[in-house]
Amino acid sequence: QVQLVESGGGVVQPGRSLRLSCAASGLTFSSYGMHWVRQAPGKGLEWVALISYDGSKKFYADSVRGRFTISRDNSKNTLYLQMNSLRAEDTAVYYCAKDRGFGVVVAATLFDYWGQGTLVTVSS
Amino acid sequence: QSALTQPASVSGSPGQSITISCTGTSSDVGSYNLVSWYQHHPGKAPKLMIYEGNKRPSGVSNRFSGSKSGNTASLTISGLQAEDEADYYCFSYADTSTLLFGGGTKLTVL
């Protein structure tokens, strides 16, 4: 049974940094692309970033490119999102999501498992 | 890139059919047959309902179907059931390796 458990959320001041983690179990983690998707309060889903199965390819939404970094440690079955220069508009529940494929072709993205999310609040 | 455009809400009675539209541009929905649809019950993980425009994953009811015309994709749910009440999001690949969700549509089963 695939499980994705996010952690690391909390309240942070604008301009500061935060690192999210997503612990995966019940799957061969190193075989799949992984994503971060967020949902601001009262808003819809927004794709944030994708990392390929081996970490060699990374893709970002325009809204976070240059500020956020996605990474993974396949030896620990863990996905990360390093968020720097945080803004109020980054306030959201952040979900990690598993891709059905290797995550090397962005166009082929399909999410088949999701975590329950972790809340990030950017406020002074 | 802007989010794809969906109606904020739709409603229908049990047994009826409803359609949710998802309007994009020639850079996303119009250029690729790669629209997928996700069902999201608040507090739960989103669930893939339709992919590549009109394909259903194993286990998804055939009451759910997808289509596309020009820059607009559509999700149709026939024989509405109470359990279908949820938020629905379209999702598409766009030029320059971008992925876009729609704004989401809240389906109410009356």
Side-chain angles (χ1 to χ4, degrees):
Chain A
Q1 179 183 355
V2 175
Q3 281 199 317
L4 302 173
V5 180
E6 302 92 339
S7 62
V11 179
V12 60
Q13 293 179 329
R16 304 297 290 265
S17 299
L18 202 63
R19 189 178 83 156
L20 305 183
S21 300
C22 171
S25 60
L27 75 162
T28 305
F29 182 71
S30 59
S31 294
Y32 297 99
M34 295 293 297
H35 301 258
W36 288 99
V37 176
R38 68 184 181 183
Q39 185 173 28
K43 303 292 186 181
L45 299 171
E46 179 187 15
W47 172 75
V48 173
L50 158 66
I51 186 167
S52 61
Y53 71 105
D54 60 355
S56 64
K57 295 184 181 295
K58 302 176 184 182
F59 304 90
Y60 298 93
D62 289 345
S63 58
V64 306
R65 187 177 293 113
R67 299 188 299 123
F68 289 12
T69 301
I70 189 171
S71 62
R72 64 191 298 159
D73 185 336
N74 286 343
S75 68
K76 295 182 178 179
N77 288 353
T78 302
L79 173 72
Y80 302 100
L81 185 67
Q82 177 67 42
M83 304 185 294
N84 298 333
S85 302
L86 282 162
R87 306 167 180 168
E89 54 263 38
D90 295 319
T91 294
V93 174
Y94 284 74
Y95 298 95
C96 68
K98 172 187 166 295
D99 196 291
R100 279 177 59 167
F102 294 118
V104 296
V105 177
V106 181
T109 291
L110 286 174
F111 310 106
D112 56 0
Y113 290 95
W114 300 64
Q116 292 300 309
T118 186
L119 176 61
V120 173
T121 302
V122 183
S123 173
S124 54
Chain B
Q1 294 277 12
S2 300
L4 307 174
T5 300
Q6 298 181 234
S9 63
V10 298
S11 63
S13 299
Q16 288 186 332
S17 295
I18 63 95
T19 296
I20 299 172
S21 62
C22 170
T23 301
T25 69
S26 58
S27 296
D28 40 67
V29 175
S31 288
Y32 308 97
N33 197 28
L34 294 170
V35 174
S36 52
W37 290 88
Y38 293 84
Q39 177 191 65
H40 189 199
H41 289 102
K44 294 191 173 183
K47 177 184 177 182
L48 178 65
M49 306 303 285
I50 295 287
Y51 66 101
E52 293 176 9
N54 59 7
K55 298 178 181 177
R56 278 189 311 276
S58 174
V60 172
S61 171
N62 60 8
R63 298 185 298 105
F64 291 82
S65 63
S67 63
K68 191 185 88 165
S69 177
N71 294 338
T72 298
S74 298
L75 172 71
T76 297
I77 308 174
S78 59
L80 267 181
Q81 299 180 0
E83 67 216 45
D84 298 333
E85 185 163 294
D87 298 322
Y88 290 85
Y89 293 90
C90 60
F91 178 77
S92 176
Y93 174 75
D95 290 346
T96 67
S97 296
T98 296
L99 297 168
L100 298 174
F101 279 100
T105 298
K106 180 177 179 60
L107 169 61
T108 300
V109 180
L110 302 170

